Amino acid sequence: MEINKIYNENCLDTMARMEDNFIDLTVTSPPYDNLREYNGYSFDFENIAKELYRVTKVGGVVVWIVGDATKNGNESGTSFKQALFFKECGFNLHDTMIYRKLNYLPITTNRYEPQFEYMFILSKSKLKTFNPIKKTNKTSGLRGGNHRHNGKDLEPLHTKNGIVNEIGIKTNVWDVACGSMNSKDKISFKHPATFPEKLAADHIYSWSNEGDLIYDCFMGSGTTAKMSHIYNRNWIGSELSIEYFNIANVRLKSYLNQTTLF
């Protein structure tokens, strides 16, 4: 199978040509609950989940970013159903992360504004790669409280001798603005739900290493491919819509013709 290429086809057709244990990391955000107008296309979630398990390497990860629709005051709960089905397929639900949108659109009148989506981190067996993104602790230098476990006081991992370290691991709630990090990247905004570049970049960095193979079964405007290239990963994408397939390829060619990205 040719890598560093987007295939204009159903992702099930793409994965059917992959060997078992082929992909190191999948980063994707599927169309869900009709929240996105996706040119009339739908997808076979259960068979996609089964195939993702088959093609993912042992220790590899699938990052599945989804939200739920609300109809007649009732949330669908589709995201949770999908997470549970992934577990039935054999995946470990390694973490349930939150993507909090910094530039969300107000759309409701009788409930609090929806600002986040779920990011399910699904691992095939024990995780093989974790490159944690670090942050500066606001309380560095201060004394931190102990945790209790089985009746014993335990010093938190972010402290040393009871003093909070200057640097710690980022939390699993990520604040990210929608869209491209590059204000000159106008091509990606022709897609109705552009995958944020920083979101893709941080997951690619966290769960893979240079030279690994990244997959996006709903490539959309090409964000996963672009950020994989920037982080020196190989990649494969599937995109059923010819319109979005063309947008992604034009965007990638535009980026590759530039000497600098930002």
Side-chain angles (χ1 to χ4, degrees):
M1 169 171 275
E2 188 176 349
I3 62 173
N4 300 323
K5 176 179 178 178
I6 304 173
Y7 292 86
N8 180 210
E9 62 187 10
N10 190 308
C11 61
L12 287 171
D13 295 328
T14 310
M15 288 190 282
R17 299 195 300 277
M18 295 180 185
E19 300 176 355
D20 294 354
N21 304 307
F22 187 66
I23 300 294
D24 292 286
L25 169 66
T26 295
V27 178
T28 196
S29 182
Y32 48 83
D33 280 348
N34 297 319
L35 285 179
R36 299 177 180 174
E37 178 56 44
Y38 208 78
N39 282 7
Y41 296 110
S42 59
F43 67 99
D44 182 354
F45 165 71
E46 292 192 356
N47 280 324
I48 290 172
K50 292 174 184 177
E51 276 291 86
L52 283 172
Y53 185 79
R54 181 184 68 80
V55 303
T56 299
K57 291 181 180 179
V58 176
V61 166
V62 170
V63 178
W64 190 262
I65 302 174
V66 287
D68 293 309
T70 299
K71 186 176 181 180
N72 298 324
N74 187 26
E75 287 193 351
S76 67
T78 299
S79 57
F80 300 117
K81 296 173 186 176
Q82 291 181 348
L84 292 173
F85 187 80
F86 274 119
K87 287 170 67 71
E88 290 180 17
C89 293
F91 280 106
N92 294 332
L93 182 53
H94 180 74
D95 197 0
T96 300
M97 300 181 64
I98 297 295
Y99 156 37
R100 184 163 58 187
K101 303 174 185 178
L102 293 177
N103 50 344
Y104 68 95
L105 295 175
I107 58 174
T108 66
T109 57
N110 66 347
R111 64 175 185 146
Y112 295 108
E113 296 291 354
Q115 189 184 358
F116 73 90
E117 295 180 11
Y118 296 103
M119 302 189 292
F120 296 116
I121 311 303
L122 305 148
S123 65
K124 186 172 178 178
S125 191
K126 185 179 179 181
L127 196 74
K128 68 182 178 70
T129 301
F130 179 47
N131 303 309
I133 299 171
K134 302 298 181 67
K135 66 177 181 67
T136 301
N137 289 321
K138 294 181 180 179
T139 56
S140 64
L142 302 179
R143 181 165 295 279
N146 288 339
H147 299 297
R148 292 187 66 79
H149 180 67
N150 291 335
K152 297 180 180 180
D153 285 334
L154 297 178
E155 185 174 297
L157 293 177
H158 62 277
T159 68
K160 184 177 181 180
N161 298 324
I163 304 300
V164 177
N165 296 332
E166 181 179 359
I167 302 297
I169 295 177
K170 186 176 180 178
T171 73
N172 63 356
V173 177
W174 289 2
D175 294 333
V176 179
C178 300
S180 172
M181 292 189 292
N182 183 358
S183 61
K184 296 180 180 180
D185 183 3
K186 305 300 183 184
I187 301 170
S188 64
F189 294 106
K190 294 180 180 180
H191 188 280
T194 302
F195 193 23
E197 291 186 350
K198 181 169 176 52
L199 203 60
D202 285 357
H203 280 301
I204 289 167
Y205 175 82
S206 296
W207 314 111
S208 70
N209 296 312
E210 290 191 3
D212 280 356
L213 183 57
I214 316 299
Y215 181 52
D216 189 342
C217 40
F218 302 99
M219 182 59 83
S221 63
T223 299
T224 300
K226 179 179 176 181
M227 304 318 289
S228 294
H229 183 86
I230 291 171
Y231 280 82
N232 296 315
R233 274 69 163 170
N234 294 307
W235 55 271
I236 295 174
S238 302
E239 179 49 56
L240 185 58
S241 165
I242 185 63
E243 178 184 355
Y244 303 154
F245 170 79
N246 289 333
I247 288 172
N249 278 305
V250 170
R251 182 183 179 198
L252 287 170
K253 288 178 181 177
S254 176
Y255 159 65
L256 292 173
N257 288 334
Q258 296 175 14
T259 54
T260 57
L261 177 61
F262 306 118

